[in-house]
Amino acid sequence: MFNRVLVANRGEIAVRVFRTLRALNIASVAVHTSSDDLHVRHADEALQVPKYLDMGAIVAAAVASGAQAVHPGYGFLAENAEFARLCAEAGLVFIGPPAQAIDAMGDKIRAKATVSAAGVPVVPGTAESLETWSDFPALIKPSAGGGGKGMIVVRSAAELPTALESARRTALNAFGDDTLLIERYIDSPRHIEIQIMADTHGNVIHLGERECSLQRRHQKIIEEAPSPFVDEDMRAKMGAAAVEAARAVGYVGAGTVEFIVDGTTGSYHFMEMNTRLQVEHPVTELVTGLDLVELQLRVAAGELLPIGQDEVRLRGHAVEARVYAEDPARGFLPTGGRVRLLREPGGVRVDSGLAEGGVVGSEFDPMLSKVVAWAPERGDALRVLDRALRETVVLGVTTNIPFLRALAVHPAVRTGELDTGLVERFLPELVGSAETPQDVVTAAALVFHAVPRGADPWEITDGWRVGEPAWTTWRLESRDGVHAVRVRGLPEVSAEVDSGPATITWSSEGVTVTVAGRTTHYAAARDGETLWLGRDGQSWAFTRHLIGDPGDRPGAAGGGDGVVRSPMPGTVLVVKAQQGDRVAEGQPLLIVEAMKMEHTITAPRDGVVTELAVKVGQPVDMDAVLAVVQEEGP
């Protein structure tokens, strides 16, 4: 076994790998960039590199640290055959499959041909003459890609040219290869994948399936094991197909074979193979009792697999939810900020790279953590997951936790009637209202009214006047606009709002607010002039509305005044209009990239671009002015 391993990754997966290394008494080495080092506190040693995609720098760091092996995690270089070769040339063991297996399965075109030759059914498609494809709906995929990035559903020939352009750009940016393929799109299928493990002695086994049908735009949201759709016979057949796919390329290590499954007939087709550890691997670990990272390490060190296929047992049910830095109420746009308060739930598994004081930026994938619940029965596992999400507190960064809770308790999810289109069909009810609840606004006003106050009694905001206390009106901005709340009196003693008597009490856990006999507890944190309140997995940010500010909260891409703002922090990727251009309402002006996803910013009205405030490659903050479109005069 190795005595020192470098982990060529960041965030929650790096922390997760460090955990197994520590359990096996193997020294861990982290790499980090100048602006991203939260994960290094969990490692024994850390070395700085220019970026996580700098293969030469990472190999040099591994050699300098005395590491014998490199674990790539997932993302970045995990499925890069050239990186595996560079590791081998430097005398380092790459904890993953051989480079030739990565090559064969990393290219979706070659992978389909390889597994088809091995007798595994595949979805009809082509990598040639994409512009003339006529079988719609169709799905465009980057050949070298993964994680759903660059995948676009096309429903007509008219949509095809623009979709191909966007997919090529995303593929080149994310994977360094703009080769695409197109396949027949199967409406409302289930997405079921098989976990395989192979050693260097020719043994290949599968560890059952994971249900990954709960997706949005091909990005997985909630995963579970085992699938509520798969019975023992189907599991054996799909598992055998996955094992054959792995054998066809001489696979070694942990890998996942993904299938599209007809939810009515149960017929399945190979989609792709991920030649790495999957984000959702914890659900397999919880139902099998196996540590997949430990198996990866042992296989890479040349050991035999410690179990055979007939010894694999699935026990109970596990469900995982991915916590993202995104705002479902604003179309799932990426968010960011500094984590001011963090409380992660007990009684469940949490794989997390978060820490209080850490900054969530737009440079990396928006996934922050994973909350994973286990129970003997599926229904109980979903209930445990919902409780854990309710107890999770992240203040300073808007997350998708309320959306995850709504999805976990949705009737279709509870009954196991899943398909890849479920989330989109029920999206409005899953996202819910964007309006800030009035009781939360009132609580925020009471907090602002209570603190801070100076030592001078004339600075106390108790509203004291001769005769009776006067009202103080607090105008607070939240993401849905400006709210006014009247308060008088001292909230710590006895105050009053329009809806009745009110008090607040402070504790180490946050603030407790009582209004008209109803008591609610909030987690609370300050971020400069912004107050964050959290409750039941939700969070709200409030700032004081100053006289002269616009009455509406700037947050949409464009406003009625023609000012075009960035709806999220990111980088300007493409500028499609220039100053002086005449544009029509809805016409694309710019493309902003955030967390490896593209977002098209359009003109808010017909007019002329009178100001272009940014250029390609420029980083922008949320609500930063990008351009101004003015109406033409008569």
Side-chain angles (χ1 to χ4, degrees):
M1 179 51 69
F2 314 111
N3 56 38
R4 184 177 294 266
V5 172
L6 180 139
V7 179
N9 219 295
R10 63 175 296 277
E12 60 86 19
I13 182 56
V15 175
R16 186 266 170 272
V17 177
F18 295 150
R19 186 167 66 240
T20 291
L21 293 175
R22 188 178 305 111
L24 296 176
N25 296 311
I26 300 172
S28 58
V29 182
V31 291
H32 67 96
T33 63
S34 59
S35 61
D36 181 68
D37 61 359
L38 282 178
H39 57 289
V40 305
R41 69 192 189 281
H42 298 277
D44 297 312
E45 182 182 348
L47 296 171
Q48 185 173 322
V49 294
K51 56 183 180 179
Y52 295 108
L53 290 174
D54 191 328
M55 294 185 283
I58 291 176
V59 169
V63 172
S65 71
Q68 300 151 301
V70 174
H71 194 299
Y74 41 67
F76 295 128
L77 302 173
E79 295 178 282
N80 189 303
E82 180 60 24
F83 181 60
R85 293 187 184 97
L86 288 175
C87 287
E89 291 169 4
L92 300 164
V93 175
F94 178 76
I95 301 175
Q100 63 269 23
I102 299 175
D103 275 333
M105 287 302 189
D107 182 325
K108 292 183 175 65
I109 299 167
R110 289 181 57 194
K112 287 183 66 174
T114 300
V115 302
S116 180
V120 179
V122 299
V123 180
T126 184
E128 300 175 355
S129 304
L130 304 188
E131 289 77 6
T132 60
W133 178 270
S134 58
D135 185 6
F136 297 100
L139 181 64
I140 299 172
K141 294 181 178 181
S143 178
K149 292 183 176 65
M151 292 172 61
I152 301 175
V153 177
V154 183
R155 300 197 176 273
S156 69
E159 299 176 11
L160 190 57
T162 301
L164 289 171
E165 176 189 351
S166 177
R168 285 195 177 98
R169 186 168 55 240
T170 300
L172 187 62
N173 182 55
F175 312 113
D177 184 346
D178 66 357
T179 305
L180 305 175
L181 71 154
I182 194 166
E183 294 177 340
R184 179 189 300 160
Y185 180 68
I186 302 174
D187 270 311
S188 302
R190 300 183 84 113
H191 182 141
I192 297 175
E193 60 189 31
I194 303 291
Q195 176 70 57
I196 64 101
M197 187 69 68
D199 63 23
T200 57
H201 305 276
N203 301 303
V204 186
I205 62 172
H206 72 85
L207 303 178
E209 80 285 350
R210 294 185 288 258
E211 176 83 57
C212 303
S213 298
L214 295 177
Q215 305 176 7
R216 180 181 172 275
R217 295 183 177 176
H218 312 293
Q219 293 281 348
K220 299 168 187 174
I221 304 169
I222 290 180
E223 304 102 334
E224 58 183 301
S227 165
F229 183 74
V230 175
D231 59 21
E232 287 291 342
D233 182 61
M234 186 176 180
R235 180 174 299 120
K237 290 178 179 177
M238 291 183 69
V243 166
E244 287 307 309
R247 289 189 186 280
V249 293
Y251 201 84
V252 174
T256 298
V257 180
E258 300 193 347
F259 294 94
I260 282 289
V261 180
D262 188 309
T264 302
T265 67
S267 62
Y268 53 88
H269 297 84
F270 171 87
M271 279 201 305
E272 63 185 24
M273 183 175 187
N274 291 303
T275 56
R276 53 169 168 80
L277 199 65
Q278 288 281 83
V279 173
E280 58 271 21
H281 75 274
V283 294
T284 295
E285 292 185 324
L286 290 182
V287 298
T288 62
L290 300 169
D291 184 326
L292 298 192
V293 174
E294 179 179 347
L295 291 179
Q296 283 186 299
L297 291 163
R298 295 194 179 282
V299 164
E303 296 183 15
L304 284 162
L305 283 173
I307 59 171
Q309 188 64 64
D310 58 351
E311 299 173 275
V312 176
R313 297 287 184 273
L314 305 184
R315 172 180 160 270
H317 204 94
V319 191
E320 171 184 294
R322 303 186 185 193
V323 178
Y324 284 104
E326 64 185 13
D327 188 350
R330 297 179 73 179
F332 293 87
L333 290 175
T335 60
R338 187 177 296 275
V339 179
R340 294 301 182 182
L341 182 65
L342 176 66
R343 294 182 190 142
E344 294 176 323
V348 295
R349 172 171 170 173
V350 179
D351 286 10
S352 172
L354 287 172
E356 285 188 9
V359 175
V360 177
S362 61
E363 185 179 356
F364 304 110
D365 187 273
M367 191 176 72
L368 303 176
S369 64
K370 301 176 303 194
V371 179
V372 197
W374 180 92
E377 302 293 336
R378 181 175 183 269
D380 292 332
L382 287 168
R383 281 186 283 273
V384 172
L385 178 65
D386 180 49
R387 175 195 58 77
L389 291 170
R390 187 177 69 245
E391 295 175 358
T392 302
V393 176
V394 183
L395 298 187
V397 179
T398 299
T399 72
N400 67 332
I401 292 175
F403 171 74
L404 293 173
R405 290 194 62 199
L407 185 56
V409 301
H410 192 276
V413 175
R414 291 289 193 184
T415 58
E417 300 169 6
L418 312 180
D419 62 72
T420 58
L422 183 149
V423 172
E424 297 292 348
R425 285 198 305 277
F426 297 108
L427 197 56
E429 63 185 85
L430 294 171
V431 171
S433 173
E435 294 184 6
T436 305
Q438 184 58 46
D439 62 324
V440 180
V441 175
T442 301
L446 287 165
V447 173
F448 273 102
H449 193 73
V451 292
R453 293 194 302 271
D456 189 330
W458 296 104
E459 295 179 4
I460 296 176
T461 56
D462 61 353
W464 183 88
R465 297 292 186 274
V466 176
E468 67 175 4
W471 292 96
T472 298
T473 299
W474 289 90
R475 292 177 60 80
L476 304 179
E477 290 190 24
S478 66
R479 67 184 180 185
D480 61 323
V482 179
H483 308 268
V485 179
R486 297 198 308 157
V487 185
R488 64 179 177 181
L490 295 175
E492 293 101 325
V493 181
S494 178
E496 186 179 1
V497 294
D498 288 336
S499 53
T503 59
I504 63 173
T505 56
W506 301 91
S507 71
S508 59
E509 296 298 313
V511 60
T512 300
V513 178
T514 300
V515 177
R518 179 182 177 182
T519 299
T520 308
H521 178 76
Y522 297 90
R526 290 271 190 171
D527 187 357
E529 297 300 314
T530 301
L531 168 69
W532 285 82
L533 295 180
R535 180 184 76 190
D536 296 334
Q538 298 188 71
S539 64
W540 299 270
F542 297 91
T543 56
R544 291 186 63 181
H545 179 73
L546 303 178
I547 300 299
D549 283 356
D552 57 333
R553 175 69 174 156
D561 57 359
V563 177
V564 180
R565 301 178 183 273
S566 179
M568 67 278 171
T571 302
V572 178
L573 189 64
V574 177
V575 175
K576 288 181 168 286
Q578 299 301 320
Q579 189 166 324
D581 286 358
R582 287 182 172 84
V583 295
E585 181 179 351
Q587 179 177 331
L589 300 180
L590 308 99
I591 296 176
V592 175
E593 181 196 50
M595 297 179 179
K596 304 303 182 186
M597 293 182 288
E598 291 185 7
H599 303 272
T600 300
I601 312 299
T602 61
R605 63 187 181 190
D606 295 347
V608 176
V609 179
T610 58
E611 181 182 343
L612 189 63
V614 294
K615 58 185 179 181
V616 173
Q618 180 176 331
V620 292
D621 295 326
M622 181 181 291
D623 293 333
V625 174
L626 304 177
V628 177
V629 179
Q630 291 188 353
E631 292 179 337
E632 289 190 83

